[in-house]
Each structure stands twice: as structure tokens, then as C-alpha cells.
Amino acid sequence: MTADSQMHKQQKIIQVAVPLPVRGERLLCYDYLAGPAADSPIGTIIHVPLGSRLVWGLVMGHGSSDDVPSPRLKEVAALADSPPLTDAHLRFLKAVANWTMAPFGMVMRMMLSTPSAFQPPATDTIYHVGQRADDKKLTPKRQRIWSFLEANPPLPAKELAQETGTSPAIVKAMAKAGLLESYEVPKQAIIAQPNPDHKPVTLTAAQQEVVDGIRGHLLSGYSAHLLDGVTGSGKTEVYFELVADQIKAGKQLMILLPEIALTAAWQSRFEARFGVKPVIWHSSISPAKRRHIWRACLAGEPMVVVGARSALFLPFTSLGLIIIDEEHEAAFKQEDMVFYHARDMAVQRAFIEEVPVILATATPSLESWVNAGQGTNGGQPKRYHHWQLSDRHGGARLPQIEMVDLKRDKPAAGKWLSAYLVEALQETLAAGKQSLLYLNRRGYAPLSICESCGAKATCQACDSWLVTHRLSGARQCHHCGFRTPLRPPAEDQCDECGATGQMRAYGPGVERLAEEVGHLFPEARYCVFSSDTMARPEIAAEMLRAITDGEVDIIIGTQMAAKGHHFPNLTLVGVIDADLGLAGGDLRAAERTYQILSQAAGRAGRTSTDGRALLQSYEPDNAVFKALASGDRDQFLALETELREQAEMPPFSRLAALILHGPDESQLLQVAKAMAEAKPQFQQVDIWGPTPAPIARIRGRHRIRFLIRSPKKVNLQHILHEWTAEVRIPSQIHLQIDIDPYSFL
Ligand code: ADP
Ligand code: ZN
């Protein structure tokens, strides 16, 4: 027997999940000598050597995964200072990996992205009174410290010195002399507890009915609720009421919002209702906060966490309720490393944790609509309870929506506002009210062509046009971030032929629209509201304040301005190009156009003044616009559901996209060919492709796509695992799998 195998005899072996991007239908674990983890339960977070690094992994099993463990097993380096993950949390991580086909190691890595939380907390030394012979006289300063501590709980030296007007050195000297005793305690910020009764509102009868309805399910394990109500109908107030219930029960709550950057208003509402700020979780909070929230979650502290999609992976141990606000938002889909839809995974988590989940929206996604048993008899089970709120609170009316036919009322070349919209703007200005011009295009112009040589300004690394941004003085690629400065005075030099002053802008962006507004209404105060101008939180907050306080007459904004805000003075919304979202033939084009336009239109008249929305279009008779103009949302959803069902598209079937990308086109084509040859043949499974992706090159990588469709009952993931395992994929080429794709680019 060798010395090594001797050691194996003595040491336990454990199976560990490590953060490697290895995809597989079965969860791949590695054997390690247990070392300090010999008695650690499954779900324990451990530090293990991997190659030349130390990485965080999870204990997934005891005993070897092989009959004969390798004699070169490495040993676990350390245990995290943390309780093990719950069984439900582990099952959730596995469910995410199984559904998305992302390597479990990558899902785990995302979840373990706060390594500072695994270190023991820093400690504070605190002092309290110690031994003292009664007759011994103290200096006045020492006496002050002594007297203070006799009447107060222990404190760190610095605070004690502040309280008593002495110095930390004196405190420490007293401790050394045995007059004070010192203790080490973990440094822990306290999470402020929301007060469920801080400032409740009196609900309307309709709101109360929904609260009571959902309340009836609150304590009975998993249930899913579509909270469907027009903007301003009080959905937030309704779910706040249920949040209050679960706070009283000492539970943890998770609230997912699509764009954390826009939640300042939401946070103040939470604070007004519950007396404290909610716990915010997103990628850019400070490491100290992250660490603290992570540990508090795992310790089961009652708390309300509101976050972007990554909050989904927090280690809650006593969840009571999950809420997904604006459930229809595409921003919930992550398309990077692990491709997952936070809404769908949140429902999954609720199911595994056996808690209720509420999906709130004014424009349900077709998926949720069908899950709520609506619009179809296509044999789909009803999975969600459906609660509707149909009136705006306080009697504010939904805006009146009118179509403007651009074929008849055509703006001059290089202009984008129809005469009808200009007139409406004028009236609104004269009435001292606010207008929003909505155009979902950042920058000045989406396309520039050189008049001299005919070249288009394009990205070096992508097959895409460069967008001119005048405010930031650059042409930018919106796919990879590449930018070339516009150099004054020849700010529009052609990169191809070098001619200056010849680049001509085509199409509008919000900056260009602002120029037009400036010419038409020189006295009006206007602002551009887009991710470019709202990048810094201070600036964003100030702009929102100015708009809310009526210091702006015309807001020219992208979808950032169209969502979630409550601008009390806004009465007119002009949609510059209602057709924009319909181009491109995306599966969800109509649905998304309906959602975003009704949201944009919904900005008008949120207070009691009547609002108006004008939609400029070349196709005013399109079913989407007809439904918008008539305000018949359900009719639109029913029609769209029917079309999807006829076309056998989601939610009536399942889709997956396979994207191959690599730096070398011919190598990529070879792999695509091999993939095509290995295509599985199943009666009911359609595979389209390989085809070059609509954007055939991004960041210098060529891209080829397959699209797969199957009936819902087919295990699509299994088919894809078998198929992709057949083809050897060289390391330069990356295979991306996107289950339920939302982007088809
Ligand atoms: P939604 O989430 O459906 O858009 P909100 O909950 O934001 O609706 O309600 C819209 C506005 O009406 C908010 O300012 C909210 O405070 C107010 N509101 C709604 N319901 C009530 C109520 N019962 N009492 C007082 N104010 C309410
Ligand atoms: Zn680019």
C-alpha cells in the first residue's frame, strides 16, 4: 500500500461542486479529501484548490463518486464561516441549471458571488466595568468613564471616549489596569425592521377584495397570483398589504423589480408605508452591504429584500412571499453566462420553497395570461389565480389614445413631428402642462452615410451601424461599446474616405428630436431622458425632481422615461414612431409594442386631468394600434394568443436557440456543419438552421444560430444535451444555449 492510499483509507471523501463551465445533464461533482469538511452537511460552502487557485464550492455528497477514487485527490482547504445552504435552495440551484442548461458550476458561482460573506465577521472590542476596590480613588476622567458604564451597556473605546469626553487611550489603560473588562463581539450592522403598521392606506373595496383573496392563500404553501390591473389601480398598495402580513409573521420577502435604477420612487413609497428603507440588492451595492445582506438572509433574519434579478439567488431561509413587479418586462431575462428568466425562475423558487408568488402588471405577458387560464382553450392548464383591478385610483382616467397617420400628416424631410402632434404640444404648453415625446432610440441618429463616398459609419468589431451621439461627442456601437470621437471642427469626418463635413445623419434619436423641439418651441424647457443622460444616480434624481416639480415642459425620452414614473403634470404623450418595435418580425414584437406603448401612453393623466396620447404610425390600422386606441387590452391579448396558438409558438410550444460563435468564420462554419449533420430527428421537433445570426458578428466574433421548437410535453433539454454531446466543439468556439429565447439577434 502506498502512503497516498493509506491516507485515503483514513480520510473521508466528499463530492464537491466547483465553479467550472462544464455542461452536462447529470450534475458533475469532483472528489476531494474532506479534511476540515469531514462532518459538514450537504450544502456547506467550502474553499477548495482547483488547478492553481482556491475557489468556493459546495459539498454535494459524501463518499466517492467513483468506485476507485483518484490517488491524487486534493484536500478541502477551509470551511466558510456560514451555515450550510438549505435543501430548498440547493434544489432551486439545480432546477435553474436543469432548466437553462447552464453548467451547475456557473449557477453556483453566481449565487456565491459574495465571498466576503464567508469570512468570519470582523469584531469590535467593547468595554464594561470590571474590578475595583471600593476605596480606590479614580482620576476625574476615569471616574466619568466608570460612572457612564455603570449606567449604560458596553461600548467600543472610541464611542465610550466620545460619550464621556475622554480618550480611547484612557479606556484602554483602564482595561489594562483591570478596572474595565473587554469583550470581542462581531461587528454587525442591524437591518432596520419595517413597521407593518407605520402608515397603512385605506384600501378601496375592489383592492380589499383582492387582498382578501390572496390572503386566503398566504399560509397554504405554493400558489401563484397574477395581479393584473391598469397603471395606477393600486397594485403596489395591494401587495404592500400582503407584505405587511408577512412582516408581522417574521418572514423574509423578496421583491423583484426590473430596473433597479428606476426604483428611487418605489423606495420612497416603501419607506412612507413601512417607516424604513427596504434592503436593496443589485450588482453595484457596496461589498460591505452585500456581505451583510447575504449573511442576514442565511441567518433567517426577517427582512424585505428588493432587487434586480440577481436577488433571486440570495440564501433566504425563511421566505414568506415572492413578488415580481412588472412581470412582463423583458429586462428579467438575463442573456449572459447563465441565460435565465428571473420571473420564471422566481415562480420555480416559490414552488420549491412552498411560498406564494405574486406577478404584478398592467400588461400581462402572454405566458402569464395563458397561465392564468385566459384567452385559450388550447389545453393549457390554469396555473395562476387571476386578480383584476380595473379602475385607476382617485378616478384618474386612462388617456385617450389617437392614431396619427404619417402617410397623410407627413413631417418634412429630416423632421419627425407631424403637424397634428405639434399642435397638441402647443396646446399643452399653453395650458402650462407637461408633454412626453417617446422615441426608443438613444443618441442623435442611428445611421450616418458619407455623401462623398457612400460609406456608412459601421463598427469595426460588429456588423452594425454606429449611432451618432452629439451630447457625448462620439459615434458609438450599441452592441460592443466601441466609440470614435467626433472631432471638432470636422466633427463628422468619414472613416472610409476621410472627407469632412460630408457625413449625413439618417433617422432620429432622442437628441435629434430635442433639436427639433428646440427650433419649434424656443421658449419651452425640455430635457432628454435616456440611459445616456440618466447614467449617474445624482443626475437622474435631480432630473426626476425637476420633472415632478413642473420645471420641465417637454420630456424627450426613451423607454427609460416610459416606465414606472408618476409625473403629476404630464397630460400629453406623443409616440414618434409607433411602428418601431414591430419591425424585425420578432416573436413578441406585437406584444412588446402593446406593452411599451400602453405604458408610455399611461404616463399621461396619472392625476385627475384627462390625458391624451398620440401615436404616429405609417400603419395606423395594425391590430396592435386598434386595440390600443380602443383600450381593449383583453381583446388584443385574445387575438395575439390565437395567433401564437395557430403558429404553434410559445406559450403553446417551447423554443430554444443554439448560438455558436467564434473568431474564425471558416472554423465556425465547420462546427455548424457538424452540428447540422448530428441534428436529432424527432417527429414533433423542428430545427431551423444553421443560419448566420441577424447580427452576424459581435465583438469580432462570427455568429451562427439554430432555433429549435418542440411541443411542451417533450423534454427539450434532454434532446439538446444528447445532440450537443455528439459534436466536438473546439475551445475557440463557444456554444450558447438559450432556453425560451427573448432575443433573436
Ligand atoms: P399601480 O401599482 O397599479 O400602478 P399604485 O399602487 O402605484 O398603482 O397606485 C397609484 C397611486 O394611487 C399611488 O400614488 C397610490 O399611493 C395611490 N393609491 C392607490 N390606492 C390607494 C388607496 N386605497 N388609498 C390611497 N391612495 C391610493
Ligand atoms: Zn460593435
Side-chain angles (χ1 to χ4, degrees):
M1 243 187 220
T2 65
D4 264 354
S5 52
Q6 277 282 3
M7 195 160 84
H8 287 160
K9 279 254 141 138
Q10 290 150 7
Q11 271 232 38
K12 282 192 195 164
I13 292 171
I14 55 169
Q15 292 163 37
V16 180
V18 295
L20 285 178
V22 187
R23 188 180 279 134
E25 196 160 14
R26 268 187 51 241
L27 170 60
L28 187 64
C29 288
Y30 294 82
D31 287 352
Y32 279 86
L33 298 175
D39 300 319
S40 301
I42 288 175
T44 303
I45 304 167
I46 54 177
H47 221 189
V48 294
L50 184 71
S52 56
R53 300 170 299 153
L54 279 174
V55 297
W56 292 102
L58 287 174
V59 176
M60 299 301 286
H62 295 99
S64 173
S65 56
D66 291 322
D67 293 342
V68 189
S70 152
R72 296 202 312 277
L73 290 187
K74 293 186 177 164
E75 187 174 311
V76 172
L79 303 180
D81 179 69
S82 141
L85 301 181
T86 63
D87 177 54
H89 195 190
L90 282 179
R91 276 187 288 139
F92 171 63
L93 298 176
K94 286 185 200 164
V96 172
N98 285 343
W99 181 261
T100 63
M101 294 180 68
F104 180 84
M106 295 295 99
V107 177
M108 179 189 76
R109 194 178 73 166
M110 200 162 57
M111 188 272 301
L112 294 178
S113 64
T114 310
S116 64
F118 315 146
Q119 308 292 348
T123 56
D124 268 331
T125 309
I126 55 170
Y127 296 88
H128 210 233
V129 285
Q131 299 295 321
R132 177 181 173 193
D134 275 347
D135 54 339
K136 195 144 186 236
K137 198 146 171 42
L138 297 177
T139 63
K141 282 185 178 169
R142 288 188 169 202
Q143 183 57 50
R144 284 215 296 279
I145 293 172
W146 182 271
S147 307
F148 179 84
L149 283 178
E150 274 187 325
N152 288 288
L155 277 182
K158 203 169 144 204
E159 284 153 53
L160 199 49
Q162 269 166 7
E163 291 286 346
T164 54
T166 58
S167 76
I170 300 179
V171 174
K172 286 174 191 162
M174 284 175 77
K176 212 167 170 194
L179 287 164
L180 299 182
E181 268 175 24
S182 64
Y183 312 85
E184 296 292 307
V185 292
K187 228 181 217 161
Q188 281 286 33
I190 308 292
I191 286 183
Q193 288 303 311
N195 174 2
D197 300 319
H198 181 72
K199 203 174 162 215
V201 301
T202 310
L203 297 178
T204 64
Q207 292 168 345
Q208 189 64 48
E209 202 174 309
V210 175
V211 168
D212 292 341
I214 301 180
R215 196 172 261 160
H217 298 271
L218 218 48
L219 299 175
S220 341
Y222 168 79
S223 58
H225 305 269
L226 179 63
L227 177 52
D228 167 10
V230 295
T231 312
S233 60
K235 297 184 292 296
T236 314
E237 298 298 348
V238 163
Y239 74 65
F240 273 178
E241 213 45 38
L242 299 158
V243 167
D245 279 11
Q246 294 300 59
I247 293 173
K248 283 182 192 158
K251 293 290 190 180
Q252 297 179 322
L253 289 101
M254 160 166 54
I255 304 179
L256 298 183
L257 302 177
E259 263 152 72
I260 206 71
L262 287 177
T263 59
W266 191 95
Q267 285 174 47
S268 345
R269 273 188 74 179
F270 184 95
E271 197 175 350
R273 173 68 179 78
F274 296 111
V276 300
K277 292 192 169 60
V279 176
I280 308 284
W281 180 267
H282 57 84
S283 50
S284 47
I285 56 171
S286 75
K289 272 195 187 151
R290 286 177 80 80
R291 159 196 160 72
H292 182 59
I293 296 168
W294 215 90
R295 290 183 77 95
C297 266
L298 196 50
E301 267 185 51
M303 57 208 269
V304 180
V305 179
V306 47
R309 56 194 181 214
S310 59
L312 187 55
F313 293 94
L314 280 169
F316 296 103
T317 56
S318 62
L319 260 184
L321 177 63
I322 299 177
I323 291 162
I324 305 146
D325 204 349
E326 311 286 355
E327 66 86 22
H328 60 276
E329 272 292 334
F332 281 125
K333 181 74 196 277
Q334 165 155 310
E335 287 162 344
D336 171 30
M337 283 307 293
V338 179
F339 285 54
Y340 69 92
H341 199 302
R343 174 196 62 216
D344 299 350
M345 295 303 112
V347 172
Q348 187 66 27
R349 183 139 194 203
F351 179 76
I352 292 174
E353 304 269 1
E354 299 178 22
V355 299
V357 55
I358 298 174
L359 294 80
T361 176
T363 51
S365 63
L366 224 57
E367 282 78 3
S368 298
W369 176 252
V370 170
N371 278 333
Q374 296 294 330
T376 176
N377 48 13
Q380 305 283 326
K382 177 172 154 85
R383 294 193 174 89
Y384 299 169
H385 300 271
H386 192 184
W387 308 97
Q388 285 182 292
L389 287 170
S390 45
D391 298 319
R392 273 186 158 185
H393 182 77
R397 272 197 243 140
L398 284 173
Q400 181 198 343
I401 297 181
E402 297 166 64
M403 297 306 298
V404 179
D405 187 345
L406 287 175
K407 291 188 301 267
R408 290 201 208 131
D409 187 351
K410 198 174 163 63
K415 301 275 182 271
W416 319 100
L417 298 172
S418 62
Y420 192 67
L421 180 50
V422 170
E423 201 183 300
L425 282 167
Q426 228 142 22
E427 282 167 15
T428 311
L429 269 174
K433 294 290 181 183
Q434 230 164 25
S435 306
L436 164 68
L437 294 177
Y438 169 69
L439 174 65
N440 200 22
R441 271 197 172 138
R442 291 161 52 205
Y444 184 81
L447 169 63
S448 311
I449 300 180
C450 174
E451 303 257 87
S452 163
C453 75
K456 293 174 181 143
T458 52
C459 179
Q460 294 170 342
C462 309
D463 285 346
S464 71
W465 299 335
L466 292 179
V467 178
T468 303
H469 286 250
R470 288 223 174 140
L471 291 177
S472 64
R475 281 209 181 85
Q476 254 172 256
C477 172
H478 286 184
H479 296 286
C480 72
F482 169 82
R483 47 188 285 145
T484 57
L486 298 170
R487 319 176 232 353
E491 67 166 28
D492 53 355
Q493 187 169 25
C494 175
D495 286 336
E496 204 66 36
C497 71
T500 54
Q502 299 293 313
M503 295 304 284
R504 180 141 165 228
Y506 286 85
V510 277
E511 294 176 13
R512 195 172 194 184
L513 198 58
E515 198 176 81
E516 188 175 343
V517 166
H519 286 145
L520 281 168
F521 309 106
E523 281 93 60
R525 299 161 299 174
Y526 62 86
C527 70
V528 173
F529 192 131
S530 73
S531 56
D532 299 306
T533 60
M534 301 287 277
R536 303 232 322 268
E538 321 80 86
I539 297 180
E542 168 55 19
M543 199 184 283
L544 285 171
R545 187 208 55 77
I547 295 172
T548 308
D549 292 350
E551 290 167 21
V552 173
D553 301 313
I554 303 178
I555 307 155
I556 298 144
T558 61
Q559 56 172 325
M560 257 210 151
K563 290 178 184 174
H565 306 289
H566 178 53
F567 299 142
N569 301 311
L570 189 74
T571 57
L572 174 69
V573 170
V575 175
I576 302 306
D577 185 353
D579 308 329
L580 193 59
L582 288 174
D586 182 315
L587 168 68
R588 294 183 180 82
E591 183 187 349
R592 275 197 202 142
T593 300
Y594 188 92
Q595 286 162 353
I596 187 69
L597 294 186
S598 66
Q599 267 185 342
R603 294 311 105 204
R606 286 207 67 182
T607 336
S608 57
T609 5
D610 284 349
R612 224 178 140 196
L614 306 186
L615 275 53
Q616 302 193 135
S617 164
Y618 281 100
E619 241 191 296
D621 293 331
N622 187 300
V624 175
F625 305 136
K626 284 212 157 128
L628 275 167
S630 66
D632 197 345
R633 189 203 71 181
D634 291 3
Q635 170 76 41
F636 168 75
L637 284 169
L639 177 68
E640 188 62 16
T641 307
E642 206 178 305
L643 292 175
R644 294 267 189 97
E645 190 169 2
Q646 276 166 12
E648 292 177 44
M649 279 302 195
F652 300 94
S653 66
R654 296 180 50 200
L655 285 184
L658 297 194
I659 300 135
L660 289 161
H661 59 83
D664 182 72
E665 199 174 4
S666 64
Q667 185 194 32
L668 184 67
L669 286 169
Q670 265 175 22
V671 176
K673 191 161 160 255
M675 287 276 299
E677 280 162 6
K679 257 188 211 179
Q681 308 285 336
F682 286 99
Q683 278 262 300
Q684 296 164 300
V685 178
D686 300 300
I687 300 182
W688 295 290
T691 47
I695 303 178
R697 197 173 53 116
I698 293 182
R699 293 173 200 270
R701 296 180 71 88
H702 300 270
R703 307 167 73 243
I704 288 183
R705 295 181 66 111
F706 290 89
L707 187 66
I708 302 93
R709 178 177 68 182
S710 78
K712 288 189 101 168
K713 59 179 193 291
V714 168
N715 184 341
L716 185 55
Q717 282 88 346
H718 177 69
I719 293 176
L720 295 178
H721 274 299
E722 298 226 308
W723 177 18
T724 54
E726 298 250 318
V727 182
R728 210 192 66 79
I729 297 174
S731 61
Q732 301 91 323
I733 293 193
H734 187 81
L735 170 65
Q736 232 168 257
I737 301 184
D738 188 358
I739 304 287
D740 305 328
Y742 277 66
S743 161
F744 297 86
L745 291 179

